[in-house]
Amino acid sequence: GDSVTQMEGPVTLSEEAFLTINCTYTATGYPSLFWYVQYPGEGLQLLLKATKADDKGSNKGFEATYRKETTSFHLEKGSVQVSDSAVYFCAPDSNSGYALNFGKGTSLLVTP
Amino acid sequence: DSGVTQTPKHLITATGQRVTLRCSPRSGDLSVYWYQQSLDQGLQFLIQYYNGEERAKGNILERFSAQQFPDLHSELNLSSLELGDSALYFCASSEASGSYNEQFFGPGTRLTVL
């Protein structure tokens, strides 16, 4: 079946460091790809999305590119801030009503 | 604020009991999804409704059921509760039921089964 693999962390970085969170997936067909973020004690928020091959999603300094050939959607940010501390989820949508198929989540802690 | 509301915020109950979780989607959204977040299973899709009809099923147990009402709010019913059902239950809504559609998540209901 469909699956998502992402580094689980926790990832600890100093403020202004470069961030990469890897995500690879298996899916039937060509899903839309999403990154969601969950801040402590809150629900999930869409961070960015890409709907077709080579699309780049971007938001709040975060970027991810839909790589069909490697079935990957790695999340990057050039300079993280303390306020970026959260759990990040990679999520392709599925053939099941386009429900999201979430990875395990990557916990990020950014220290001053 | 996503515009999706869930009640109650917290629920504590005993094994064998039955509970109902409620979700109101964003105004205008026809599609409602239910997800379960637990430490061991992560975030899992349970079930989706679109405009009152069941559209898709995920890893939903037979002890669980859901429905979407004419006013588009949805309820998730969990019965014969077990300790392992303790989790955070999220509802999400989207405008339609298709790819590209962003899902907006509610704040969740934290269920504790003792």
Side-chain angles (χ1 to χ4, degrees):
Chain A
D2 296 354
S3 66
V4 181
T5 302
Q6 60 175 113
M7 49 200 292
E8 289 192 29
V11 174
T12 303
L13 294 174
S14 298
E15 204 165 23
E16 298 184 4
F18 183 85
L19 169 72
T20 300
I21 300 177
N22 290 336
C23 172
T24 57
Y25 63 92
T26 62
T28 305
Y30 302 106
S32 292
L33 303 175
F34 301 83
W35 275 99
Y36 276 79
V37 59
Q38 186 176 27
Y39 297 102
E42 297 185 15
L44 289 91
Q45 302 173 28
L46 178 66
L47 182 60
L48 52 83
K49 71 177 184 182
T51 58
K52 62 182 188 296
D54 300 324
D55 261 4
K56 178 185 281 189
S58 61
N59 185 26
K60 299 181 182 178
F62 290 89
E63 293 183 340
T65 301
Y66 192 140
R67 301 287 186 201
K68 188 176 78 171
E69 63 279 5
T70 55
T71 60
S72 64
F73 193 50
H74 304 322
L75 182 68
E76 295 183 337
K77 186 174 185 181
S79 175
V80 293
Q81 305 300 312
V82 171
S83 58
D84 294 328
S85 298
V87 181
Y88 292 81
F89 293 90
C90 179
D93 64 12
S94 69
N95 289 331
S96 183
Y98 303 100
L100 296 169
N101 185 19
F102 285 96
K104 293 282 190 188
T106 299
S107 175
L108 171 66
L109 176 64
V110 181
T111 58
Chain B
D1 184 356
S2 67
V4 179
T5 60
Q6 289 187 250
T7 56
K9 191 165 184 172
H10 300 279
L11 199 47
I12 301 175
T13 188
T15 55
Q17 295 298 305
R18 173 189 169 94
V19 296
T20 297
L21 314 184
R22 183 188 168 104
C23 168
S24 293
R26 288 189 325 153
S27 177
D29 283 358
L30 300 178
S31 194
V32 170
Y33 300 80
W34 285 97
Y35 294 87
Q36 179 196 59
Q37 185 178 33
S38 62
L39 281 174
D40 53 344
Q41 298 291 327
L43 257 170
Q44 289 194 103
F45 165 62
L46 295 179
I47 196 164
Q48 181 210 3
Y49 277 79
Y50 176 75
N51 203 20
E53 301 288 327
E54 182 185 301
R55 178 59 63 95
K57 262 186 174 178
N59 296 322
I60 189 166
L61 300 171
E62 284 194 15
R63 300 183 285 108
F64 297 180
S65 65
Q67 53 186 325
Q68 186 179 29
F69 295 86
D71 67 352
L72 300 177
H73 90 272
S74 178
E75 293 182 354
L76 180 67
N77 301 295
L78 316 176
S79 61
S80 302
L81 285 167
E82 302 176 0
L83 296 177
D85 298 327
S86 295
L88 197 49
Y89 291 84
F90 287 109
C91 164
S93 73
S94 66
E95 191 175 316
S97 176
S99 199
Y100 321 152
N101 281 296
E102 177 182 350
Q103 292 180 32
F104 294 85
F105 281 75
T109 293
R110 182 169 295 281
L111 172 67
T112 303
V113 182
L114 301 175

